[in-house]
Amino acid sequence: MGNSKTEFDDDDDSATISDGSNTKTDSDPETETDDEVPPVPPPSSSLFEDGEKVLAFHQKQIYEAKVVKVEYRFREWRYYVHYLGWNKSWDEWVGVDRLLKFDEENVLKQQALNKKQGAEKNTKSIRATQIKPKSSSVARGKKRKNDFLNKDKGAIPMEKLINLQIPAALKNQLVDDCESINHLGKLVKLPRKPNVDDILKKYVNHRLKKYDLIAESVEEIMNGLRCYFNKALPVMLLYKSERQQYVDATRENVSPSSVYGAEHLLRLFVKLPELLAYANIEEETLMELQQKLVDFLKFLQKNQGTFFLATYHALEDAGTSTNR
């Protein structure tokens, strides 16, 4: 998921849902039916074949790679490639526009491009050392986490935030969640089953079963989500009335992802566009990550009745010793 540079603000008293975020509501339940599969053309029409050594574009550079699998999906040929000399976690599906034949002409192109990228990177590093960091005059105690959505010097431009289309049913879930806690004085009873760890594991298995793919890259993203959740929960995903419950639930230094469930995991997706804007992620990789996160949201929607609580509990009955 990259190295996040976000500084969480401990002074915010709520995890309110902001319509000012770059999160969109998907009014169409796209997950109910799968897309129709078009007729598969003959393998001879594919420019690359299984097992072929190729050159692949990745983050503005060209790497040697091997085609592991070839499929015709979404009316185009797709290639699952392994970058030679790199961990399998970097394996990914790419289109024909990302691949080149492994020949002398393209190898020379690879060497020229990579040399150019290396020179530009060194120049940027030298310039960065000459820039003095700006000091902030805003007291941390008065700064709230939503400030970076305001149009001031420290604001993140909206175009830098990724679009996460939260399905309408899950958007309603967030509204009901806020209403139950802030207006009805109730809490989610802990520990939750399934918890966040369980849900992330179920999604990895779902992807493996549905697409029959090597799941390392998906598993890496889910591990990143777990890290974001565990760090963000106590500082920006809890309402004020939930803070004592968090202290009680994590007394034995347990991971929040093993205690909390889908209700709090969904809140993370409201904040993710802001958090990822601070992560050092290449634009192309960020777009691929966005697609996988949207797919995960659709998975949550399909399993909404299983993952989410139907009713919350009164404060005195929402302890952490037993479940529903």
Side-chain angles (χ1 to χ4, degrees):
M1 300 291 289
N3 295 321
S4 174
K5 298 182 181 178
T6 306
E7 291 185 5
F8 296 123
D9 184 4
D10 296 329
D11 298 312
D12 190 14
D13 289 335
S14 67
T16 53
I17 304 166
S18 172
D19 291 334
S21 71
N22 213 39
T23 306
K24 293 186 178 180
T25 300
D26 182 6
S27 57
D28 298 324
E30 301 176 358
T31 59
E32 295 302 322
T33 59
D34 294 331
D35 294 335
E36 291 186 6
V37 180
V40 179
S44 59
S45 66
S46 172
L47 293 178
F48 303 94
E49 60 184 18
D50 188 4
E52 181 178 353
K53 185 177 182 180
V54 296
L55 294 173
F57 286 93
H58 184 81
Q59 297 186 6
K60 300 180 181 180
Q61 294 198 41
I62 301 177
Y63 297 86
E64 293 184 9
K66 179 181 178 181
V67 177
V68 178
K69 194 171 184 179
V70 180
E71 284 189 4
Y72 186 81
R73 293 189 291 142
F74 305 111
R75 295 179 173 83
E76 66 174 352
W77 285 105
R78 303 287 292 175
Y79 306 92
Y80 196 73
V81 298
H82 169 67
Y83 295 97
L84 301 181
W86 292 83
N87 189 283
K88 286 186 178 181
S89 62
W90 291 101
D91 293 3
E92 61 179 338
W93 285 99
V94 299
V96 67
D97 58 318
R98 294 267 304 275
L99 299 181
L100 296 172
K101 287 290 184 179
F102 191 86
D103 55 31
E104 184 177 355
E105 179 182 355
N106 289 329
V107 169
L108 291 175
K109 182 185 296 186
Q110 174 197 25
Q111 294 172 350
L113 178 61
N114 291 353
K115 183 178 180 180
K116 178 182 177 182
Q117 290 297 324
E120 290 180 355
K121 185 176 181 180
N122 290 336
T123 301
K124 291 179 180 178
S125 298
I126 294 173
R127 289 177 180 174
T129 61
Q130 299 172 346
I131 301 174
K132 295 181 179 180
K134 296 181 179 180
S135 59
S136 174
S137 59
V138 181
R140 189 173 186 274
K142 295 181 179 180
K143 184 174 179 62
R144 301 176 67 85
K145 65 177 178 295
N146 289 328
D147 282 351
F148 46 70
L149 290 178
N150 297 332
K151 295 180 180 180
D152 56 20
K153 282 188 176 182
I156 296 177
M158 294 300 290
E159 60 270 17
K160 289 191 66 176
L161 301 179
I162 66 171
N163 295 321
L164 291 182
Q165 297 181 348
I166 297 182
L170 295 184
K171 189 70 173 179
N172 292 335
Q173 184 80 43
L174 285 167
V175 174
D176 292 341
D177 176 59
C178 179
E179 177 75 17
S180 296
I181 293 173
N182 287 333
H183 299 286
L184 300 181
K186 296 184 177 183
L187 293 177
V188 173
K189 193 167 186 179
L190 302 178
R192 288 286 290 112
K193 257 317 184 187
N195 56 37
V196 171
D197 290 336
D198 296 330
I199 294 172
L200 298 181
K201 184 176 180 180
K202 287 178 183 291
Y203 178 71
V204 172
N205 293 335
H206 158 76
R207 291 279 302 189
L208 186 60
K209 181 179 179 181
K210 183 176 181 180
Y211 298 107
D212 191 27
L213 305 177
I214 302 174
E216 284 89 345
S217 60
V218 175
E219 189 171 6
E220 183 181 15
I221 292 174
M222 293 302 102
N223 288 336
L225 265 183
R226 181 183 295 105
C227 291
Y228 269 104
F229 178 80
N230 287 332
K231 291 183 178 180
L233 179 74
V235 292
M236 59 171 27
L237 302 183
L238 294 176
Y239 294 103
K240 186 175 181 179
S241 59
E242 295 178 300
R243 295 189 184 280
Q244 185 57 49
Q245 184 191 36
Y246 168 78
V247 173
D248 296 337
T250 57
R251 285 190 189 280
E252 299 180 2
N253 199 29
V254 298
S255 170
S257 59
S258 67
V259 178
Y260 288 83
E263 297 78 19
H264 292 80
L265 177 60
L266 182 58
R267 297 181 196 175
L268 175 64
F269 280 82
V270 179
K271 300 297 180 183
L272 266 182
E274 303 165 13
L275 298 177
L276 292 175
Y278 282 100
N280 185 22
I281 304 177
E282 291 285 343
E283 182 177 356
E284 184 179 350
T285 303
L286 193 61
M287 292 302 99
E288 294 175 2
L289 175 61
Q290 174 188 345
Q291 294 175 358
K292 290 183 172 64
L293 292 176
V294 169
D295 185 72
F296 179 78
L297 283 170
K298 293 177 181 179
F299 174 73
L300 284 184
Q301 180 193 17
K302 281 188 173 182
N303 294 276
Q304 188 172 0
T306 304
F307 291 165
F308 291 87
L309 283 174
T311 58
Y312 289 19
H313 295 261
L315 287 173
E316 62 273 11
D317 188 39
T320 60
S321 60
T322 58
N323 204 339
R324 292 180 62 188

